[in-house]
C-alpha cells in the first residue's frame, strides 16, 4: 500500500492518496481557524481507516501551524471529539 498526504491549496483541501484513490478534507481558513465543511473518501477506501488517517494528518498540520479546527462535517467533528478534542474551535 502506497500512501501520500498532501495539501492542495488550489482546491482548498487536504488529500490522502492511497494506491491511487483519494480521501479529501475540504477547508476554509478563517484567521487561526481551519473550517472543515466536508470529508470524503473514495468508495473503495471506506471502512479502511483512510479518512481517519487523513484527519490525523490534518490535525497534525493544524497544530504545527498554531491553528484550531472548526468541524462542520459530522465525520470531522466525531473524529476530533474522539481523537483530538483540544483542537476544536
Amino acid at each position: 500500500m502506497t500512501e501520500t498526504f498532501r495539501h492542495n491549496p488550489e482546491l482548498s483541501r487536504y488529500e490522502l492518496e492511497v494506491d491511487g484513490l483519494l480521501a479529501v478534507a475540504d477547508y476554509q481558513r478563517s484567521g487561526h481557524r481551519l473550517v472543515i465543511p466536508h470529508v470524503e473518501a473514495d468508495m473503495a477506501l471506506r471502512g479502511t481507516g483512510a479518512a481517519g488517517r487523513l484527519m490525523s494528518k490534518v490535525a497534525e498540520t493544524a497544530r504545527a501551524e498554531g491553528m484550531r479546527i472548526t468541524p462542520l462535517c459530522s465525520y470531522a467533528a466525531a473524529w476530533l471529539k474522539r481523537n483530538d478534542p483540544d483542537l476544536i474551535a
Side-chain angles (χ1 to χ4, degrees), residues 21-80:
L21 303 171
L22 285 179
V24 300
D26 296 325
Y27 73 84
Q28 293 129 19
R29 290 181 184 262
S30 178
H32 290 291
R33 289 186 318 145
L34 190 63
V35 179
I36 304 214
H38 185 73
V39 174
E40 184 174 350
D42 188 285
M43 287 296 279
L45 291 177
R46 293 184 186 173
T48 68
R53 293 191 305 277
L54 168 66
M55 283 302 301
S56 179
K57 292 290 192 181
V58 169
E60 184 180 308
T61 300
R63 190 175 301 287
E65 294 179 11
M67 301 190 74
R68 308 265 319 263
I69 298 175
T70 301
L72 303 180
C73 166
S74 61
Y75 178 82
W79 189 93
L80 284 164

